[in-house]
Amino acid sequence: MCGIVGYIGTQTATEILLSGLEKLEYRGYDSAGIATIWEGDVNCVRAKGKLHNLRSKLEQVETHAQIGIGHTRWATHGKPEEYNAHPHMDAAMRVAVVVNGIIENYSELREELKQKGYQFRSDTDVEVIPHLIADFFKHSPASVPFSPSLFLEAVRDTVKKLRGAFAIALISADYPDELIVVRQQAPIVIGFGQGEFFCASDTPAIISYTRAVLPLDNGEIARLTPLGVEVYNFAGERLKKQPRLLNLNPMMVEKQGFKHFMLKEIYEQPGVVRACLDAYFNADWNVSDSTNSPVKLGLSADIYSDLEQIQIVACGTSWHAAIVGKYLLEQLAGIPTQVHYASEFRYAPTPLTPNTLTIGVTQSGETADTLAALAMEKERRQGKEPKYQARLLGITNRPESTLGQMIFHIINTLAGIEIGVAATKTFVAQLMAFYALALDLAYLRQSISPTRLQEIINGLRQIPGEIEATLEKQEHYIEQLAHEFAETKDFIFLGRGINYPIALEGALKLKEISYIHAEGYPAGEMKHGPIALLDAKVPVVAIATPGSVYEKVISNAQEAKARDSRLIGVTPVNDGEAAEIFNDLIPVSKVDELLSPILTVIPLQLLAYHIAARRGLDVDQPRNLAKSVTVE
Ligand code: F6R
């Protein structure tokens, strides 16, 4: 998964490409490169590592090119070295190509091309593309009847030979007024400016220049010239398409005074919860209202009727949100729910069950494993008797994504674009989606009383203020605390019940941005093995919220204390046993146990953030990671 950007117009392309790549760096930052057409040649500059390396190299290159393509890479095939960086070119250096995605049949194509005498300069799957294009030109007539451009034909002929999921942008020195863009199962949007056109893997890359965009669909090729945009299908037929206006403001993709996007996004969480409350819940509903539903997700009966089971597929942080979701769906709506890692479910699906809702949770809507698991579920239920047919629901922050195009029923998590690679505000928004879904089902199935329903909704309405209070009162304390752990090697996070996934999430946040080894455990499991890890060098963070498991967590924390671990409590209780056993106590407000995960996760996000920042690490772009994982 990588980021690609392209420009054709009247301005100097280099700066526009670089600023676009800056906004796409969250997708990968192993190397970067751009290619422009200047004075009849393709000018290609590439650099290993982050974008600033490319920027320094480009300072020595003077070009006023008005067309170009750029790429920021997350390595899949081939090491993160300059020779593997995109753009890739043909032997004559006339065609330059950038790709996001994977060419699955590249080894056979590579062999065929080698047999024909083409030499390869990289280890990537992508390099077959410029050679295939060169090969087309070698054997092609001077023009193809009814086609506006031979370059377009060369690309069309080439993509028909490729298998995989990809988005491609290409330029050719022999066709200096054409930028060709292809989509096959990897996202790409076209941007429409005044006498200039753009393409990008994601809208933040072009939002400073235009809000009019056209996301390409699978199997489409766009030809961008200074005069306009034409869209074709792979069969070569011209398609009628309309751009639409984006509801995204360029400020959303700036840090706005925060040191890192991650911190800004942590602070945006009260607003995100408010947006979800407004969108998901009926403000006028009260306990005596028997005609309206308290929840307004707009999901139709074909999702809900005769529902017997729910299965959720997700990865990473979204998987953690799904485990909180399972708890809510089972405890509130009484529906047996299973949560699967999408990457496991794909290859070991559960036996088909009737009347089953399958939910895919993915903030990006582009995670390959989650999309493939959902596609597999859809396919294996096709043609079955009605009760076995697929019912799919997506929970995503990007309804315009591949998930959004693939699934009809979507809950939009309304967190706004998230730039920091570590998910924070999108996680909290996913939790909100699960509260709404579980309460909607509970209302319809009458599995909880209207009074309890009202109590939970009232509690949810308090959450934004409580998050604000936690941020305001605790951030400084957590920052000080974090300084003491900057050199710590291992961490354990404990939680039980609905806060067990929050322990997992706290550990994941710490691992991914601080590179400190951390494990999350259900507190009661410690004694079955992991307790052997504990000593004075291994701090234990315990989430202890009043409710069904409070005393149990306190006892488990005592067991850790007895092994000399330093104990950090995330708890609203600051007296009694809690005050005695916790070496450090991070208070959170006391709320209904069911709602506590939205609050307990906040200090854990801050702890991970401040430890990573103290260690001087690149919080927003941690090593080896990328924001959306569009490969298997
Ligand atoms: C963690 C993180 C990843 C993602 C995972 C799934 O902070 O960001 O673990 O949660 O890659 O991504 P989505 O939700 O886009 O499917």
Side-chain angles (χ1 to χ4, degrees), residues 358-369:
T358 304
I359 307 178
V361 190
T362 161
Q363 82 76 23
S364 63
E366 301 295 347
T367 298
D369 287 317

Side-chain angles (χ1 to χ4, degrees), residues 315-319 361-367 370 418 421-424 430 505 508-509 512 626-629:
C315 305
T317 287
S318 297
W319 187 80
V361 190
T362 161
Q363 82 76 23
S364 63
E366 301 295 347
T367 298
T370 308
E418 189 175 66
V421 163
T424 51
Q430 288 169 346
E505 178 60 7
L508 179 62
K509 287 292 89 98
E512 63 185 344
K627 186 81 186 152
S628 42
V629 186

Side-chain angles (χ1 to χ4, degrees), residues 431-546:
L431 297 188
M432 288 302 292
F434 276 116
Y435 283 106
L437 182 66
L439 290 171
D440 205 14
L441 282 160
Y443 172 78
L444 293 169
R445 299 162 78 96
Q446 300 182 345
S447 51
I448 58 172
S449 70
T451 320
R452 177 70 179 129
L453 196 59
Q454 173 113 67
E455 197 175 80
I456 299 173
I457 295 176
N458 288 348
L460 277 171
R461 295 200 186 283
Q462 305 305 315
I463 294 291
E466 302 299 358
I467 301 178
E468 271 157 1
T470 308
L471 291 170
E472 195 188 311
K473 293 190 203 139
Q474 304 308 333
E475 195 202 339
H476 182 66
Y477 172 63
I478 295 171
E479 184 177 2
Q480 301 304 310
L481 195 60
H483 292 177
E484 297 178 38
F485 295 117
E487 301 307 322
T488 301
K489 299 268 182 289
D490 304 279
F491 253 94
I492 300 286
F493 289 76
L494 300 181
R496 271 181 101 146
I498 199 164
N499 276 297
Y500 159 52
I502 302 304
L504 295 177
E505 178 60 7
L508 179 62
K509 287 292 89 98
L510 188 65
K511 278 186 261 213
E512 63 185 344
I513 60 170
S514 75
Y515 318 144
I516 292 174
H517 170 245
E519 299 290 342
Y521 277 103
E525 272 299 297
M526 280 300 284
K527 57 187 174 292
H528 298 291
I531 201 164
L533 294 169
L534 299 187
D535 61 25
K537 292 199 201 100
V538 183
V540 173
V541 180
I543 306 166
T545 51

